[in-house]
Amino acid sequence: MKRSNRKRALWGWLFVLPGFTGVLVFYLVPFLDVVRRSFLNAMGGGFVGVSNYRSVLENEAFRLAARNTLRFALVCLPLLLLLSLVLAVLLQSLLTLPARQHPGILKAARLVKSAYLVPLAVPAASIVLLWRLVFDARGLLNGWIHSLGGEGADWMHTGAAFGVLVFSYLWKNTGYDVVLWLAGLSAVPQELYEAARVDGANRVMCFFKITLPCIRPMAVTIIIISFLNSFKVFREAYLVAGNYPQDNIYLLQHLFNNWFRELSMDKMAAGAVLLSMCILALVLLLEKSWNGAGRE
Amino acid sequence: MNEMEIGKKRKRRLLYGLALLLAFMLLFTLIARAASAFTTTRVIMDVPMARRIEHIVSASGVTEKNRELAVLAQENLLVETVYVSQGESVAAGTLLAQLSMDSIEEQIRGQEEELALLRLQLASAQENENQAAQERKKALSRATEDYERICREQEEAVEAARSRCQAAEDALARYRQELEAGGAVPEVGGEGEPPAGGGSAGPEGEPSAGGSGADPGEKQAQLDRLKEDLGQAQAALEAARQSQSDACRSAARSLEDARQQAATDYSARITELSITQKERELAELMQVKEAGGQVLSPVDGVITQIYLAVGQKTTDTAAFTMADLTSGLRYVAKIGKEDAAYVEVGDEVTLKAAGKEIPGLTVFSLEETDEDTVQVTVLVPQGEISMGEYAQMEVVKRSGEYDTTIPLSAIHTENGKKYVYVAEEEETVLGTQLTARKVEVEIVEQNDRYGAVAQGMIGADTPVIVSSDSYLKAGDTIRLQQE
Amino acid sequence: MKKTILRAVTLALLLLLALLTISPLLFLASGSLTGGGELSKSLGPILYGGDDYAGWKLLPLYPTLRHFVEVLLDSPEFFQMFWNTVKLTAGVLAGQILFATTSAWGLARYRFPGRRQVYLLYIILMMMPFQVTMLSQYLVLDRLGLYDSLWAVIWPGAFSTFSVFLMFRFFEGIPESILEAARIDGAGEFAIFLRLGLPLGAPGILSALVLQFLEMWSMIEQPVTFLKTKSLWPLSLYLPEIGLEQAGLALCASCLAVLPALLVFGIGQEYLEQGIMAAAVKE
């Protein structure tokens, strides 16, 4: 037994090794090097203690970027979650219909789900052109608002750029979250509903009392995943506005890119370490606080 | 189950679609690449060379006569035969034309007759002359005699008048003396004899019974009379003098006239001259006669013009004009103004005529014939080339050595400025590519094949685009022509 | 009755939203078929300023294939970028098939010391945005001389732990009994992996691949940082460079760029969904 165990263990390692080597080489070891560098000066020379961290934290640009990232998350996530939840619930009501009786509706529902997922497949680069056309000061959106009697905004060059980013993010990720919600919703045992109905609960009560609690763990997951995805909104921001965008959409990636270009390796290192710590903390905190019981 | 199958079918179709798309993309990649390569201008490049700019000015021209001379023949003779034609080259001494001997004889005879006539004329003229001379002599001596006589007579008259005057004067003076002295009766005698032929009647010597103690009125009257006598005498003297001068003058004039008739008569002289002339003509005719009436070529040459016509008489102008070959020939050609800038008097010229080449000649002169052309003249020594032959001339001018010379095909003109294109490497999306870059240059000198670029405009090693297979613009992507 | 009405309303609402969601693609498609003149007119206000607002016709008045021809025949740059994207994507996917599958299999089916730690490590790495790993990657790539080459994006991508995680979930679900049976039959571990593991875990592998494909097809952060030479750029960096003056060309190129992604999406949508869900459920 022991021998087969050891053999097994060896095989396990064997399988894991190639990938793990790569991970080590390209991710782990260099990251340790980065940690080391965060304590040195820009050229990798003298030991400067925590002064890099201090300079990063005091850096105006860093503060701006961090503020923006946080603001973005705080604005987007609730919106996204709400929107995708509503859509998921609505969709679920149609998807759970028996196939025999309403084949058309089922097909339509499935089509709708696909449609919601399509934005995931569209590369940011392709769609950015359209965003430019829509959100330009003389673009389609303003034209539409104007025709309704309102006054448009200069979306690209003022604080309203934030709105553009939010919209873009929502467009892209709603489908993703809808799928997740659907998975979570479908995991809710039907018996609970039946029991509740027997007790005389109507749909709304069912929803609030049964559905929501059941999907709480999923909510945590979705929050985390969506938060991590929110970093990717840099793509749209970069493609639309370049390396030095309007203040409101200046994100962390912008900052890091600029640091990279200026060869401020010390700041980058410190920033990277800081960021990793933050994210780690956030994730762990979220999981622990929402779920109570320890999950992996 | 069915759904799954449909799903699978759909998936398979989509998969095919994807594969098709990729194949499609591949195809179009190749097409696009090929199209771009096709439309990319291909160029040939060349590195500038150091060389001298050579200007070859060539033109076609013809040799013509250098010196022309006229061959004369005795005038007024009949031309019997002309032995040469225009353009014929003759050696010295060649018989050019034959004059009729008969006409020569005729001419001679005529001349001789005329000469005889003239001689007669001369003789008679001389006779006349002698006679006239004799008469003149006679007239002269007569005039001289008259003159002398008149002068003498006049002189005597004047003398007489003068003495009478003197007498009157003396009488007056004496009377005056007497009056002052107290009245002696003067004897007024007629001392003076009245001149023969004398004019004025002088006081005839009326003894003035003067009286002593004549009364003052009488004295005065006597004085007055004496004064009057004197006046008269003086007047007479004056008259005498006047007539003397008049008579003498007219006598002198006559004498002069008589002398003057010695003015000559030239007709003899003229005749003499005519005779001399005639004699000379005759001599010439005799010469021609002795030469057998032949007109010979004096030098080696080429007949350029014949002015004689058979059956006509010769004129006093040239019978033949011929190009004197001994002085060599002249080659002329016309070149354009631009070419003329490269040719100077004294430059070395090479002539190429049928089959042979004559180097080492020099430009003799340059002459502007009209606005755009210049005529080049080159002297060609005798014997190298024949007259009237066409030949090509070539003048080669080499400039100083220029560091950067490029073929003319590399130079482009735009808006009055000149450009060349050089190749530059550029980082593009497709990788490193060559693009054409325009460089403004200044061409210092050029001929029809190369141009020299002013120093420093492009590096002496920079390759320039010499030719391209399509129109080139600055910034175009280019490719080097592969061998 | 009420139910039907409710259902109808729900469906209508959902459909409307769905239409809105895909409308950008419709714009893209119609725009790419619109002639240059019409485009200038519609987009004039954006390009040249003025008082008016840009308009858009869903159906062009004079549809033309000219822009497609322009992209396909006249712009070799487009293809250069396209194949760059293809190379990057193919490279990373190939790498993941090699490395992620094995790693996931090893982690899922074998017990060995350090397994938990490795798993944890992978999860942590999975969550880090590019900013965190950017510098470290650069240092390694520079040291290895891979900077400014396509490998700079391919190698780190090939070892992405997200795919490992996805595949892991699916490999986990395979009943051990099947494998045991094979072992008893005398199959070697690697053979088991190849013949049993891969087919059975195919959904997971495919979902990882689909997700990764879509990710690579629109990846921007890594290429921007690690690819300096313009001729190495993928489509995602090149498309924005086409200015609005060449709107027709840009729209066409964007269309063509979306097409493969859409096809992959069409093929692998269910895998996509599975992948999304698997990532979430962390049991």
Side-chain angles (χ1 to χ4, degrees):
Chain A
M1 270 294 124
K2 238 192 174 179
R3 203 183 294 163
S4 73
N5 264 356
R6 211 181 295 159
K7 193 169 151 231
R8 284 285 200 83
L10 206 66
W11 269 111
W13 259 112
L14 223 60
F15 273 115
V16 172
L17 205 58
F20 188 69
T21 323
V23 167
L24 268 181
V25 169
F26 286 104
Y27 291 97
L28 203 54
V29 170
F31 189 72
L32 293 175
D33 187 29
V34 165
V35 173
R36 180 182 67 94
R37 274 174 189 259
S38 68
F39 296 110
L40 305 174
N41 69 13
M43 290 303 117
F47 183 78
V48 291
V50 292
S51 73
N52 285 335
Y53 289 95
R54 200 174 299 150
S55 67
V56 165
L57 286 170
E58 286 167 6
N59 187 315
E60 263 309 314
F62 180 80
R63 289 191 170 167
L64 178 66
R67 206 169 34 232
N68 281 338
T69 310
L70 226 59
R71 196 154 63 100
F72 186 77
L74 288 175
V75 166
C76 276
L77 293 182
L79 271 177
L80 182 65
L81 262 89
L82 214 59
L83 182 63
S84 51
L85 183 59
V86 167
L87 289 176
V89 167
L90 291 176
L91 208 52
Q92 177 79 315
S93 69
L94 294 178
L95 283 172
T96 47
L97 291 171
R100 283 269 166 79
Q101 289 167 7
H102 314 271
I105 295 188
L106 212 56
K107 257 205 191 149
R110 291 224 191 92
L111 213 67
V112 164
K113 186 163 62 131
S114 303
Y116 289 156
L117 280 175
V118 160
L120 265 179
V122 174
S126 289
I127 211 66
V128 141
L129 184 63
L130 209 63
W131 288 164
R132 280 209 213 140
L133 296 178
V134 169
F135 291 108
D136 190 89
R138 307 237 135 259
L140 295 171
L141 182 62
N142 278 350
W144 193 52
I145 294 178
H146 187 77
S147 69
L148 290 179
E151 180 87 28
D154 188 356
W155 299 101
M156 311 275 270
H157 302 295
T158 65
F162 193 75
V164 174
L165 231 56
V166 171
F167 176 80
S168 176
Y169 177 78
L170 287 177
W171 182 74
K172 204 154 202 193
N173 288 286
T174 305
Y176 192 92
D177 285 4
V178 163
V179 167
L180 288 174
W181 281 129
L182 281 176
L185 285 173
S186 61
V188 175
Q190 286 290 52
E191 306 88 57
L192 290 176
Y193 287 118
E194 279 159 24
R197 213 155 297 143
V198 163
D199 281 349
N202 62 11
R203 283 190 88 122
V204 178
M205 283 170 66
C206 274
F207 180 75
F208 279 101
K209 290 284 165 58
I210 302 178
T211 321
L212 278 186
C214 281
I215 56 176
R216 216 149 137 242
M218 180 58 82
V220 174
T221 315
I222 293 182
I223 291 177
I224 296 175
I225 291 182
S226 303
F227 177 67
L228 293 176
N229 279 344
S230 73
F231 283 95
K232 292 218 188 106
V233 85
F234 162 78
R235 293 185 186 171
E236 277 88 346
Y238 174 76
L239 291 174
V240 160
N243 269 316
Y244 295 97
Q246 210 270 338
D247 267 359
N248 275 19
I249 57 175
Y250 186 75
L251 300 170
L252 279 172
Q253 185 67 34
H254 286 120
L255 178 63
F256 275 70
N257 280 353
N258 294 340
W259 274 344
F260 184 73
R261 251 205 314 283
E262 297 160 12
L263 296 178
S264 312
M265 300 297 181
D266 49 350
K267 292 213 195 70
M268 273 187 85
V273 174
L274 270 176
L275 197 58
S276 61
M277 294 292 140
C278 281
I279 291 181
L280 203 57
L282 216 66
V283 169
L284 289 174
L285 213 67
L286 258 166
E287 265 208 42
K288 288 257 164 66
S289 74
W290 272 70
N291 291 332
R295 300 247 179 199
E296 284 192 79
Chain B
M1 270 296 133
N2 223 357
E3 236 183 68
M4 262 182 63
E5 275 176 22
I6 295 176
K8 272 220 167 99
K9 258 206 181 143
R10 195 181 115 244
K11 268 192 266 176
R12 193 158 300 165
R13 252 189 283 135
L14 287 176
L15 201 62
Y16 281 151
L18 188 64
L20 202 67
L21 181 71
L22 284 177
F24 189 64
M25 286 303 216
L26 195 63
L27 178 68
F28 274 100
T29 307
L30 294 173
I31 294 180
R33 285 254 172 94
S36 141
F38 191 69
T39 55
T40 312
T41 320
R42 257 165 294 187
V43 299
I44 302 180
M45 309 202 61
D46 205 8
V47 179
M49 283 206 285
R51 58 157 68 92
R52 297 170 187 275
I53 301 277
E54 204 175 76
H55 297 278
I56 302 181
V57 178
S58 59
S60 315
V62 69
T63 45
E64 45 184 44
K65 53 197 173 334
N66 192 15
R67 262 204 280 268
E68 201 171 29
L69 51 81
V71 178
L72 301 170
Q74 191 64 25
E75 66 171 305
N76 248 339
L77 299 173
L78 192 65
V79 178
E80 203 171 84
T81 340
V82 174
Y83 286 106
V84 292
S85 42
Q86 189 175 7
E88 197 174 315
S89 55
V90 292
T94 320
L95 178 62
L96 298 180
Q98 177 69 42
L99 302 171
S100 149
M101 290 305 288
D102 286 343
S103 87
I104 295 176
E105 294 283 353
E106 200 181 301
Q107 279 286 322
I108 290 178
R109 233 177 303 129
Q111 294 290 60
E112 281 175 344
E113 281 172 14
E114 279 177 32
L115 193 62
L117 189 64
L118 280 172
R119 286 209 173 106
L120 281 176
Q121 279 180 348
L122 181 68
S124 85
Q126 281 174 335
E127 269 286 328
N128 288 345
E129 219 177 288
N130 285 342
Q131 205 167 34
Q134 275 180 348
E135 275 180 25
R136 255 200 325 270
K137 231 189 230 161
K138 218 188 302 184
L140 181 64
S141 65
R142 273 196 206 137
T144 319
E145 271 178 34
D146 284 343
Y147 177 72
E148 283 172 0
R149 182 173 45 89
I150 289 175
C151 274
R152 215 178 330 121
E153 283 174 5
Q154 288 298 322
E155 195 60 45
E156 283 170 5
V158 168
E159 202 48 53
R162 199 174 313 134
S163 61
R164 210 171 300 141
C165 218
Q166 189 67 44
E169 246 179 70
D170 288 342
L172 187 61
R174 245 181 296 138
Y175 193 67
R176 276 207 183 110
Q177 268 177 349
E178 272 182 32
L179 282 180
E180 275 161 39
V185 177
E187 280 283 329
V188 178
E191 257 138 52
E193 284 180 34
S200 54
E204 286 289 315
E206 252 175 8
S208 49
S212 49
D215 50 291
E218 258 187 41
K219 284 186 191 152
Q220 193 57 42
Q222 184 70 348
L223 206 61
D224 287 342
R225 247 184 281 142
L226 285 178
K227 281 192 184 159
E228 209 183 301
D229 283 346
L230 180 60
Q232 280 179 353
Q234 282 180 331
L237 176 61
E238 205 50 52
R241 282 210 180 113
Q242 187 66 35
S243 83
Q244 179 201 34
S245 73
D246 284 344
C248 274
R249 204 172 329 147
S250 65
R253 277 213 187 112
S254 309
L255 183 61
E256 225 178 278
D257 287 345
R259 282 206 185 114
Q260 246 187 339
Q261 269 175 0
T264 46
D265 175 12
Y266 285 112
S267 59
R269 200 65 50 81
I270 290 174
T271 318
E272 261 181 28
L273 284 175
S274 303
I275 290 178
T276 334
Q277 200 177 341
K278 270 289 178 293
E279 283 176 340
R280 205 182 35 239
E281 284 177 18
L282 192 59
E284 280 174 10
L285 280 172
M286 295 305 283
Q287 265 187 335
V288 172
K289 180 173 171 188
E290 258 159 63
Q294 293 181 334
V295 180
L296 298 175
S297 153
V299 289
D300 291 335
V302 172
I303 307 288
T304 51
Q305 268 291 38
I306 304 178
Y307 296 99
L308 304 177
V310 175
Q312 303 280 355
K313 290 254 175 90
T314 54
T315 56
D316 57 349
T317 52
F320 294 94
T321 49
M322 44 190 295
D324 181 0
L325 283 182
T326 49
S327 64
L329 287 174
R330 180 185 284 241
Y331 171 87
V332 283
K334 284 209 168 68
I335 57 178
K337 239 328 180 23
E338 291 149 10
D339 285 340
Y342 297 110
V343 180
E344 280 168 0
V345 174
D347 280 348
E348 183 180 320
V349 182
T350 309
L351 286 185
K352 291 189 201 140
K356 67 182 164 163
E357 223 178 83
I358 313 168
L361 303 169
T362 50
V363 174
F364 178 67
S365 73
L366 296 167
E367 190 187 308
E368 233 180 79
T369 54
D370 55 49
E371 253 184 44
D372 306 315
T373 38
V374 171
Q375 179 165 291
V376 179
T377 313
V378 178
L379 295 180
V380 184
Q382 184 188 16
E384 299 272 7
I385 192 175
S386 44
M387 203 178 94
E389 201 172 317
Y390 286 97
Q392 284 281 107
M393 65 162 259
E394 205 175 79
V395 177
V396 177
K397 244 307 170 54
R398 277 200 185 79
S399 66
E401 184 158 301
Y402 289 104
D403 273 341
T404 10
T405 61
I406 48 179
L408 268 197
S409 59
I411 307 175
H412 306 269
T413 323
E414 206 178 290
N415 285 340
K417 296 202 186 143
K418 297 205 194 282
Y419 298 95
V420 294
Y421 287 103
V422 293
E424 224 175 27
E425 271 194 6
E426 210 177 275
E427 271 279 344
T428 68
V429 147
L430 297 172
T432 347
Q433 283 189 324
L434 286 175
T435 43
R437 181 167 68 97
K438 227 181 201 181
V439 179
E440 191 181 323
V441 291
E442 191 190 312
I443 301 292
V444 177
E445 195 182 326
Q446 67 177 87
N447 65 5
D448 61 347
R449 270 180 309 147
Y450 300 102
V453 179
Q455 278 276 25
M457 305 219 112
I458 55 172
D461 299 327
T462 322
V464 291
I465 296 179
V466 166
S467 78
S468 56
D469 65 352
S470 69
Y471 182 68
L472 201 61
K473 285 188 321 282
D476 272 358
T477 327
I478 54 175
R479 238 170 50 156
L480 285 180
Q481 184 98 333
Q482 299 301 340
E483 291 301 318
Chain C
M1 232 22 246
K2 222 171 159 198
K3 264 198 182 160
T4 334
I5 297 178
L6 212 64
R7 255 183 236 140
V9 168
T10 315
L11 190 60
L13 199 69
L14 290 173
L15 278 173
L16 186 67
L17 220 60
L19 202 65
L20 266 163
T21 311
I22 61 171
S23 59
L25 286 180
L26 295 176
F27 277 148
L28 217 58
S30 77
S32 60
L33 291 173
T34 314
E38 261 188 276
L39 276 177
S40 306
K41 230 181 353 148
S42 311
L43 304 177
I46 301 179
L47 294 172
Y48 313 115
D51 275 339
D52 213 2
Y53 291 101
W56 193 269
K57 282 199 185 57
L58 207 51
L59 289 174
L61 207 57
Y62 307 106
T64 168
L65 286 176
R66 190 164 19 108
H67 294 300
F68 275 108
V69 171
E70 234 186 291
V71 170
L72 291 175
L73 292 179
D74 255 349
S75 8
E77 312 87 56
F78 174 77
F79 290 105
Q80 180 81 0
M81 308 291 118
F82 179 81
W83 291 113
N84 280 343
T85 310
V86 169
K87 281 182 210 164
L88 285 178
T89 311
V92 168
L93 290 185
Q96 288 188 349
I97 291 176
L98 269 179
F99 300 113
T101 50
T102 50
S103 308
W105 181 255
L107 279 176
R109 309 242 52 109
Y110 297 90
R111 303 267 170 286
F112 52 87
R115 175 175 171 268
R116 271 229 160 177
Q117 286 74 12
V118 171
Y119 181 71
L120 214 61
L121 177 68
Y122 278 19
I123 294 210
I124 293 175
L125 279 175
M126 189 175 84
M127 293 194 287
M128 295 295 157
F130 181 58
Q131 289 103 70
V132 172
T133 57
M134 185 175 157
L135 181 62
S136 32
Q137 274 184 32
Y138 168 72
L139 291 171
V140 175
L141 292 170
D142 196 40
R143 183 66 81 70
L144 291 176
L146 297 176
Y147 182 71
D148 199 21
S149 75
L150 287 179
W151 297 116
V153 180
I154 294 179
W155 278 119
F159 294 110
S160 157
T161 55
F162 181 73
S163 303
V164 175
F165 181 69
L166 275 185
M167 297 185 200
F168 170 88
R169 298 227 67 80
F170 281 85
F171 283 146
E172 238 191 357
I174 301 176
E176 185 69 22
S177 46
I178 303 180
L179 304 181
E180 277 300 335
R183 265 189 215 117
I184 293 172
D185 279 347
E189 295 300 321
F190 199 67
I192 292 180
F193 167 65
L194 275 182
R195 303 257 171 73
L196 284 180
L198 287 183
L200 289 173
I205 300 177
L206 286 174
S207 51
L209 291 181
V210 168
L211 273 171
Q212 276 301 323
F213 180 93
L214 294 177
E215 169 74 14
M216 292 306 301
W217 201 257
S218 68
M219 172 182 275
I220 289 193
E221 291 98 333
Q222 282 87 330
V224 153
T225 317
F226 297 139
L227 296 179
K228 281 281 159 273
T229 326
K230 257 196 165 174
S231 61
L232 290 177
W233 280 9
L235 275 177
S236 44
L237 292 187
Y238 166 71
L239 285 176
E241 296 252 313
I242 311 177
L244 274 177
E245 310 83 50
Q246 295 178 289
L249 187 72
L251 289 168
C252 264
S254 302
C255 256
L256 286 172
V258 174
L259 221 51
L262 279 181
L263 281 173
V264 167
F265 173 74
I267 297 172
Q269 189 192 336
E270 59 178 274
Y271 298 117
L272 182 67
E273 289 179 35
Q274 286 179 2
I276 294 175
M277 291 193 278
V281 180
K282 288 228 227 73
E283 253 67 26

